Amino acid sequence: MLWIWPDFAIRLLAPVENRELGAIEIVQVVSLIAILSLAVAEAFRPGRRMGHKWLWGAMAAVAAFVFVEEIDYGLHFFDYLTGRPSFTTGFGGTWRNLHNQGGNNDFIKIVVFVPAIILFAIFPLVSRRSVKFGIERRHALFFWFVVLSNVAMRMLFDSDGSPIPESVMQESQATWELVELGLYVLAWTFLAGWVQRNERSNQRG
């Protein structure tokens, strides 16, 4: 879509004027709400061991934190509904979120990507034991699809024949936002699969 209908695709997926209200970011938010809802439901499910309840509670806390960070604690919607330009409102001046302060963004990417690569991209491809932990080869294939397609898109849109100017792609951050979406979807499928796996195991037991 970005290549065939570039102008329409950018306006739909990650508009330069407010990429946070584009389709990619909206699906990201929906994915985080799904993860949060699942974690809360499992944390309060009757019959769960206390350790499992705390684990799911921790996952819910992480999902909630990522969710509010993703929407800049509601400032995206506040700016839009009050007719203000994007990214103009801040708490105490210019502060909008934690992950864009200083070098936090790069640090978070390392903290997230290194474990994700080990657990989802490498582990299921080199060891059958990964299945015992609910990590299957389909998770690895999906992970590599997200990463390699992002690399391919960057190469295409950085080329001289790109239908979208490089400055527009950088400002919209569409390629990176698609990677984030892929990670959220991967997390959802893993956690939902884990729940289904445990339910089937309990039924057999």
Side-chain angles (χ1 to χ4, degrees):
M1 181 185 290
L2 284 169
W3 195 267
I4 300 174
W5 300 295
D7 294 335
F8 169 76
I10 284 294
R11 288 198 302 270
L12 174 66
L13 299 176
V16 173
E17 59 273 12
N18 193 347
R19 68 173 184 273
E20 305 296 343
L21 295 180
I24 298 175
E25 287 276 355
I26 291 174
V27 178
Q28 286 180 0
V29 170
V30 172
S31 300
L32 288 169
I33 292 174
I35 294 171
L36 175 60
S37 300
L38 177 65
V40 170
E42 291 300 310
F44 288 97
R45 174 174 288 195
R48 285 284 187 200
R49 295 179 181 178
M50 187 55 65
H52 290 172
K53 287 180 177 288
W54 279 105
L55 180 60
W56 281 107
M59 291 182 185
V62 171
F65 174 73
V66 175
F67 169 73
V68 295
E69 279 281 309
E70 194 67 59
I71 63 172
D72 283 2
Y73 299 84
L75 291 178
H76 295 324
F77 305 106
F78 177 80
D79 287 340
Y80 176 76
L81 294 174
T82 57
R84 304 185 184 195
S86 301
F87 308 108
T88 55
T89 307
F91 297 108
T94 59
W95 194 95
R96 290 177 64 89
N97 56 52
L98 183 64
H99 66 272
N100 282 327
Q101 301 301 310
N104 289 348
N105 211 341
D106 292 334
F107 174 75
I108 291 172
K109 288 178 182 179
I110 294 173
V111 170
V112 171
F113 260 96
V114 171
I117 290 172
I118 295 172
L119 290 175
F120 294 105
I122 299 176
F123 187 30
L125 296 181
V126 300
S127 175
R128 295 181 180 179
R129 295 181 60 188
S130 65
V131 178
K132 296 181 179 180
F133 302 95
I135 305 174
E136 303 176 10
R137 288 195 171 187
R138 62 190 177 94
H139 294 125
L141 294 176
F142 180 77
F143 184 94
W144 285 115
F145 169 77
V146 170
V147 172
L148 294 178
S149 60
N150 179 262
V151 172
M153 282 192 295
R154 287 179 180 274
M155 292 176 63
L156 285 172
F157 291 111
D158 285 347
S159 65
D160 294 335
S162 171
I164 302 176
E166 184 179 353
S167 59
V168 173
M169 290 300 297
Q170 289 179 348
E171 195 168 353
S172 71
Q173 297 185 18
T175 52
W176 171 250
E177 295 297 344
L178 285 170
V179 172
E180 282 190 24
L181 175 58
L183 291 177
Y184 295 152
V185 172
L186 179 62
W188 160 252
T189 55
F190 168 68
L191 293 174
W194 181 276
V195 171
Q196 292 177 353
R197 180 187 178 93
N198 285 342
E199 288 180 350
R200 288 196 298 266
S201 177
N202 292 334
Q203 290 173 358
R204 287 195 298 267

